[in-house]
Amino acid sequence: MLHRKSDLRMASCDDWLPRYHWRTHHDRAVRAEPAAAARAVREVRAGDTYILRPLVLVRGIPARLRSRDREWYPTKEERILDGLRDGVGAFPLQDDPGGDLVVGFVGQPWKLRQQWLALTPDEYREFDQPGYMKGVMAFSASGRGERTLLHTETRIYGTDQASVRRFRPYWLLIEPFSGLIRHDWLAAAARNARSSARP
């Protein structure tokens, strides 16, 4: 089913992908200034999280069995944002200092050898080639009294019905694990933001 704008949404997601077939969102409250929380989201490293590296390791087993090509596996010091580029071909769309961060991805993830495109923001807006999934992942940090609410939203859109049908079983498989990674990412950002705020 194709969805459009809803009341619970990020404005930056509406800017980049107003129509979508799948959407997930997660929140985390943290005792830190919004700017510090926003920085913390960007700086989370794979080693700051608990489940990212094990999940990526498991995800790469089929690829290692069928090919000698080395699958991406993040080091502890690698920022997750940098890893998204290598792991799922993500590219920057919007980065407001202290504000919203948006990355995009376009690909055919159901294929054994996954296909990802690297696009500029303008190319992303115009992209409508059949046979692909088009997605955004966004983060925001907004003040809520003495706390900051970290919010992340992911949207995915199929450029044609055949792509939607191909992607559906893949999404049913990975969505629970994708949600765990988002929770883990926000929790790590909250810990790091609290640590940096201590005297």
Side-chain angles (χ1 to χ4, degrees), residues 1-4 17-24 132-134 154-161 163-165 167-168 171:
M1 179 184 298
L2 185 64
H3 302 280
R4 298 179 186 272
L17 198 63
R19 299 191 304 161
Y20 54 93
H21 293 97
W22 291 274
R23 172 182 177 265
T24 63
Y132 286 86
M133 304 309 297
K134 184 176 179 179
T154 300
R155 295 182 182 184
I156 303 173
Y157 171 75
T159 55
D160 61 6
Q161 286 304 308
S163 299
V164 172
R165 288 194 299 271
F167 184 76
R168 184 175 288 112
W171 179 248

Side-chain angles (χ1 to χ4, degrees), residues 51-61 64 72-74 181:
I51 64 171
L52 173 67
R53 296 176 81 236
L55 285 178
V56 171
L57 183 64
V58 171
R59 173 181 173 268
I61 289 174
R64 289 194 297 275
W72 168 74
Y73 181 69
I181 290 174

Side-chain angles (χ1 to χ4, degrees), residues 96-160:
D96 304 327
D100 287 4
L101 168 69
V102 186
V103 297
F105 49 94
V106 175
Q108 299 170 320
W110 55 81
K111 290 189 174 181
L112 288 178
R113 188 174 293 276
Q114 295 183 346
Q115 303 290 322
W116 300 101
L117 304 181
L119 305 178
T120 67
D122 287 341
E123 289 171 338
Y124 178 85
R125 285 191 190 277
E126 299 299 324
F127 186 86
D128 62 357
Q129 181 177 334
Y132 286 86
M133 304 309 297
K134 184 176 179 179
V136 294
M137 182 170 64
F139 292 88
S140 68
S142 56
R144 295 289 191 274
E146 296 181 354
R147 294 173 178 255
T148 292
L149 183 69
L150 288 175
H151 179 79
T152 180
E153 182 171 333
T154 300
R155 295 182 182 184
I156 303 173
Y157 171 75
T159 55
D160 61 6

Side-chain angles (χ1 to χ4, degrees), residues 2 84 97 102 147 172 184-185 193:
L2 185 64
L84 285 175
V102 186
R147 294 173 178 255
L172 291 174
D184 203 17
W185 189 339

Side-chain angles (χ1 to χ4, degrees), residues 87-99:
V88 296
F91 44 84
L93 293 175
Q94 177 180 336
D95 190 355
D96 304 327

